[in-house]
Amino acid sequence: MSVTLQTPPIFVSRSLQGILCVIIGMALFVAQDVAMKVLITQYPLWMLMTARGVVGLAVLVPLIVLLGGPHRLLTPLWPLHLTRALLITLAFSVFYAVFPFMGLAEVSTIFFAAPLIIAVMAWGILGEQIGPHRSIALLIGFAGVLVALNPGGAAFQPLSLLPLLCAAGYAGSQILARVIGDRDSPLTVGVYTVGAMVVTVPLVGALVSAVLPETAAIHHLRWEWYVPRGQAALHLGGLGVIGLVGLIFLSRAYQIASAGVVAPFDYAYLPMATAIAYLLWGEVPGPTTQLGMAMIVASGVYLGYREYRASGTVAAQVSPHNT
């Protein structure tokens, strides 16, 4: 008589899945933003962002139709998806618009007020608890944002506030991803995001170009369109693929895990972006940026630690077949 040994299924916590998804997503976004900083000297911002959306639609729509099942093009949650997509589109239009004026590490440090804003929004909107320890950590983090901005310093420029505006929009979009939860798949979330980008970015670009006179300083905001061919098509297509995959990973992270658990791991972006900016362009953040970065990261990591302890490391187990 033979005995068959059956290997028990491996269960991975939703928190761990979310953390891994966010780290992979951040690595892809570093690659995307480095490419954006290079390509924005060659192509208008609006063309780059629209190309990302077109590539996303070209990949996601056939994929959703082919896979079916939980993936769908039409969803009763479309108001939430569209609102989230508009927030992301407007937020990152602002983010990339300042690239020619600020270093990648500086822009990123200010933007990383986003996880702190997410924690506050999760408390106010989702009812996630913020105790005294988290409150102190949030205050330290927001103090770090002020230090990084250095509003009283001679080098301060109002443009430095734009990454903070982007952070607020991004935070709102990720809270909406948490509200959507598992009711829609990451592919559905992604198709609405890139679809809105294709429609809204040209409108935003036309408005900005109509309001702002074209000068050498803001040449990247010019209104210019053409069908990319050859090397240009490869540049824009590659940018779109990287951004799409990163977006899917990040959306999935916030769908399956608590916002308070995964948000601090967004900070994986900062050391990667700072190192690459130094290697490529010799960028070294100033002392106030470095101090602010340390305060923001310390605050965010501590918030994640407290939230992870509160949620429990063995709660909410899920089989890989259900992901």
Side-chain angles (χ1 to χ4, degrees):
M1 182 178 67
S2 62
V3 178
T4 303
L5 296 178
Q6 188 172 14
T7 303
I10 299 173
F11 294 94
V12 181
S13 76
R14 294 173 72 86
S15 292
L16 181 57
Q17 289 183 62
I19 289 168
L20 291 175
C21 284
V22 108
I23 290 174
I24 294 171
M26 285 298 120
L28 290 167
F29 280 137
V30 169
Q32 170 197 262
D33 292 348
V34 168
M36 283 289 290
K37 194 168 177 64
V38 172
L39 295 177
I40 208 169
T41 62
Q42 305 172 38
Y43 308 98
L45 171 61
W46 320 116
M47 189 172 174
L48 292 172
M49 292 189 68
T50 302
R52 284 175 52 192
V54 170
V55 170
L57 284 180
V59 173
L60 287 178
V61 171
L63 195 59
I64 288 173
V65 172
L66 178 65
L67 295 177
H71 314 294
R72 53 187 178 178
L73 294 174
L74 299 178
T75 168
L77 302 178
W78 66 265
L80 290 176
H81 286 292
L82 287 182
T83 302
R84 180 177 182 272
L86 289 173
L87 281 173
I88 287 181
T89 300
L90 294 174
F92 283 98
S93 294
V94 169
F95 183 75
Y96 293 127
V98 300
F99 267 23
F101 309 107
M102 299 175 65
L104 182 60
E106 294 173 316
V107 177
S108 304
T109 298
I110 298 169
F111 166 75
F112 270 89
L116 308 177
I117 300 172
I118 288 171
V120 174
M121 286 184 173
W123 166 70
I125 299 173
L126 304 180
E128 297 183 8
Q129 297 300 308
I130 297 180
H133 291 88
R134 293 187 183 92
S135 298
I136 293 171
L138 283 171
L139 290 174
I140 292 173
F142 284 118
V145 175
L146 285 176
V147 170
L149 283 170
N150 193 19
F156 174 76
Q157 52 182 330
L159 285 173
S160 301
L161 296 174
L162 293 181
L164 191 58
L165 181 62
C166 173
Y170 171 84
S173 74
Q174 299 299 34
I175 290 297
L176 284 175
R178 182 64 177 157
V179 172
I180 293 168
D182 282 334
R183 291 181 289 172
D184 271 327
S185 75
L187 295 184
T188 299
V189 173
V191 80
Y192 274 84
T193 301
V194 297
M197 189 177 294
V198 170
V199 175
T200 58
V201 166
L203 296 176
V204 172
L207 179 62
V208 170
S209 298
V211 172
L212 298 179
E214 183 174 336
T215 64
I218 57 172
H219 187 59
H220 62 296
L221 301 181
R222 67 193 181 277
W223 185 252
E224 179 184 327
W225 295 91
Y226 59 88
V227 177
R229 303 180 187 280
Q231 190 176 51
L234 290 176
H235 287 162
L236 300 184
L239 184 67
V241 170
I242 293 171
L244 172 64
V245 178
L247 181 65
I248 291 173
F249 271 104
L250 203 59
S251 297
R252 183 60 178 167
Y254 280 88
Q255 283 183 295
I256 63 178
S258 165
V261 170
V262 299
F265 289 89
D266 286 0
Y267 292 108
Y269 179 103
L270 279 175
M272 291 186 285
T274 302
I276 291 179
Y278 173 74
L279 292 173
L280 293 181
W281 303 296
E283 291 182 6
V284 179
T288 56
T289 301
Q290 293 181 38
L291 177 58
M293 183 188 299
M295 294 171 68
I296 294 168
V297 171
S299 168
V301 170
Y302 182 74
L303 283 170
Y305 167 72
R306 295 290 303 185
E307 184 65 30
Y308 189 69
R309 280 189 58 187
S311 65
T313 57
V314 295
Q317 302 286 306
V318 63
S319 165
H321 298 291
N322 296 327
T323 58

